[in-house]
Amino acid sequence: MLEQILSHDETFSAPEWLKAQANLKDLEAEHARSIADPDAFWGSWAARFEWFTPWEKVMDWNYPDHRWFVGGETNITLNALDRHADGANRNKVALIWIAEDGSERKVTYYELRQLVSRLASGLRSLGVEKGDRVVIYMPLTLEGVLSMLACARLGAVHSVVYAGMGVGALRDRIVDAGAKVVIAGNIGMRRGKGVDLRSIVDQAVEDLPLRHVIWYQRGVKTELQPREVDFDELMAQSKPDVAPVPVDSEHPLYILYTSGSTGKPKGVVHVHGGYMVGTSYHLRTFYDVKDSDVFWATSDIGWVVGHSYIVYAPLVEGVTSVFREGAPDWPDPGIFWKCVEQYGVNVMFTAPTAVRMFMKFGAEYVSKYDLSTLRLIAVAGEPLNPEAMRWAKQHLLDEGKRGFVADNWWQTELGGPTIATPITKDARPGAAGLPLPGVEAEVVDETGNAVPKGKGGLLALKRPFPHMMRTIWGSHSRYEQYWNEIPNCYAAGDVASWDEDGYISVLGRSDDVLNVAGHRIGTADVESALITHPSVAESAVIGIPDALKGEAIKAFVVLRFGEEPNDETRQSIIEHVRRELGPIATPSQVAFTEKLPKTRSGKIVRRLLKAQELGKDPGDLSTLED
Ligand code: AMP
């Protein structure tokens, strides 16, 4: 399989007219410049923005800690809102929100600043101040985005929890972040139906010492408890009178939790200054966004793509960002393409799992729409399989005459695209691409030495860039682990290979983390949820191949003495995990077993379960207990 991936006998090029107008024309030259003099490179990009206090030094690199725009003061909303609301973009549409039922809301930069300032004023009246943490559990709505921006404006730190996560996951994150306030929606929309979020939040916050829960209520408004506040009323009572609070460049902007190989989620911390500079650089260069473009990232504010490319980078750059609540195949599988036609989307950012879904439904849902504006489809989250790339090129981009499909690899920790195939380079199906400007990436062995081209190893980064995480909230040692696992590198946790020309293919995780429909899910997260079910004594979780989702979750469960291994127990276990973690982390299969394979030291050998499941050679079993 490795040989097949490495052979790359098939390449795709962008049409010449598209290359000629690309914002990033010469990757090699730009990359060389960024590595030779990072201070000049990032400093000149940062100089495009407004700063309350100019920085004294571009970068301070003290392995493994890095700081950028040292001594500078700004606020990301000064650049994402005020810079435009007080300038030529005042009346330009900043955000277009599309509801599942097709209704829409458009707000200009001026209107957006007023809304954010009003909400920030409301939050301030409830005691939210610089440095406070606010958890946001909101459906993908304008109010969700306003909540993020209002926190940022005050210098408060938001932590958005995807509004599909379960009670346990939400509660853990509120506690870990030490949040004072939660902003939550009562209802999410999915396939024409309201999804009850209210009961999840109520259970998660019960007996937590929060100051306030602010409810964005759709449909019937419920009577609120003393610590609860209605979002709309808070807005109505407040004035748009909050100016962006000056914060240090290194002041935390947000915490976003991601999975690792232990059961405890990692709170990745991004900051105001470097994150603004780096994510906006890649929006303009790699995503090739022009001033007049309409940009659509089909993600959710619960994920890093939503933070960087629905909200922050497009607004910092003053472009128009589209986002849509609801399922991608509802009311019918043509809905994405209908929206592209209606809003004239130029650049779209989506996931391989979505492309595979459209492939399954068939080209007839695409061909009835005019997609002539669409010139770039960027995909990230998991490897883009060659069939999906071919299909996208053929059916979404008129055989590739109209545009380009650009793979890009990155992580929550990295904030923006890192290894990718820009428009001017040939795409090699199966490969994410080449290191982008600012990035020094290698495929290395365990000692940190680069493996020869044509071989496989571990994906590592040799230096930081401005939009890379600064720490793991409350646990700097977990941050340091990324830089201590392999000598002198940041270990991404991915197995990769590179070809003779340096194109990097990411083959999968090297740790116990699964990729389900582009989402990182730790086996330990699911196992910890499983053992809190009263019938479960022990469990082990593996990923099994799935044509649409990439991987699906299979759980092996040892029941407690006296429990019946029947369908009812199985259903109850599945429901339990769904309640604790949410739908994306719910096992699609639960198998009952008498015991699990373990090493003599008691560690579960998931690799053996996986080999058995897939009918493969399990490798060396000499350390097994049984
Ligand atoms: P997350 O932090 O949830 O965005 O997940 C990041 C992980 O997703 C990476 O470590 C990879 O395992 C995987 N990933 C993201 N983008 C790609 C890509 N373009 N190709 C292959 N794997 C990817």
Side-chain angles (χ1 to χ4, degrees), residues 258 304 379-383 407-413 432 492 494 506 509 515 518 520:
T258 189
V304 70
V379 289
E382 56 180 316
D407 198 348
N408 58 125
W409 172 92
W410 46 297
Q411 305 180 301
T412 306
E413 293 86 339
D494 279 322
V506 177
R509 298 290 300 181
N515 190 324
R520 255 160 86 178

Side-chain angles (χ1 to χ4, degrees), residues 68 109 167 263 268 445 449 463 478 491 515 602:
W68 294 81
Y109 275 93
V167 174
V268 168
D445 61 20
N449 291 315
R463 63 165 80 204
R478 286 182 91 187
N515 190 324

Side-chain angles (χ1 to χ4, degrees), residues 66-274:
H66 56 109
R67 298 189 304 149
W68 294 81
F69 311 106
V70 182
E73 277 191 312
T74 185
N75 181 306
I76 199 164
T77 70
L78 171 68
N79 287 290
L81 301 174
D82 303 81
R83 192 162 69 102
H84 308 300
D86 295 331
N89 288 334
R90 185 181 196 267
N91 300 316
K92 181 173 177 178
V93 174
L95 295 172
I96 303 176
W97 173 72
I98 309 169
E100 226 195 13
D101 66 5
S103 60
E104 58 164 43
R105 280 176 76 185
K106 287 184 183 172
V107 288
T108 65
Y109 275 93
Y110 187 81
E111 290 165 339
L112 183 62
R113 196 246 314 257
Q114 298 302 89
L115 289 167
V116 170
S117 172
R118 193 181 282 281
L119 180 57
S121 176
L123 291 176
R124 185 176 267 172
S125 73
L126 297 175
V128 176
E129 289 168 21
K130 180 172 164 180
D132 289 342
R133 275 84 59 205
V134 175
V135 164
I136 298 172
Y137 187 82
M138 288 282 264
L140 184 55
T141 49
L142 180 61
E143 288 72 12
V145 175
L146 297 180
S147 302
M148 294 165 74
L149 292 165
C151 289
R153 197 160 182 85
L154 294 170
V157 183
H158 61 71
S159 184
V160 182
V161 177
Y162 176 64
M165 287 204 186
V167 174
L170 174 57
R171 188 185 167 86
D172 285 352
R173 285 156 176 74
I174 296 171
V175 171
D176 189 87
K180 207 172 187 181
V181 167
V182 171
I183 307 178
N186 64 341
I187 288 172
M189 292 304 296
R190 194 87 183 163
R191 297 205 161 75
K193 293 205 183 74
V195 180
D196 170 29
L197 304 177
R198 169 101 210 186
S199 69
I200 293 173
V201 179
D202 279 343
Q203 292 174 67
V205 304
E206 205 189 350
D207 68 353
L208 288 185
L210 291 166
R211 262 223 208 164
H212 294 288
V213 180
I214 301 169
W215 284 105
Y216 169 57
Q217 307 194 75
R218 298 200 280 196
V220 184
K221 294 205 180 203
T222 2
E223 202 177 313
L224 300 178
Q225 303 297 316
R227 71 170 180 181
E228 297 177 319
V229 177
D230 180 76
F231 188 100
D232 294 333
E233 280 175 24
L234 186 67
M235 287 293 268
Q237 287 157 9
S238 308
K239 271 197 201 151
D241 58 1
V242 173
V245 171
V247 295
D248 190 273
S249 312
E250 288 290 304
H251 185 73
L253 169 65
Y254 67 81
I255 305 169
L256 185 57
Y257 286 88
T258 189
S259 291
S261 46
T262 69
K264 199 171 160 7
K266 297 194 260 196
V268 168
V269 175
H270 286 290
V271 301
H272 277 253

Side-chain angles (χ1 to χ4, degrees), residues 28 439 504 513 549:
E28 282 79 8
V439 178
I504 294 173
V513 174
K549 292 193 243 172

Side-chain angles (χ1 to χ4, degrees), residues 2 5-6 443 454-457 495-499 503-507:
L2 196 60
I5 289 171
L6 291 177
V443 179
K455 296 273 187 245
V495 177
S497 63
W498 50 2
D499 70 12
Y503 274 70
I504 294 173
S505 296
V506 177
L507 308 174

Side-chain angles (χ1 to χ4, degrees), residues 538-540 556-558 593-598 604-605 609 626:
E538 260 192 313
S539 74
F556 293 85
V557 165
V558 179
T593 173
E594 299 277 302
K595 53 183 167 179
L596 295 167
K598 286 187 190 161
I604 295 168
V605 189
L609 291 169
D626 194 343

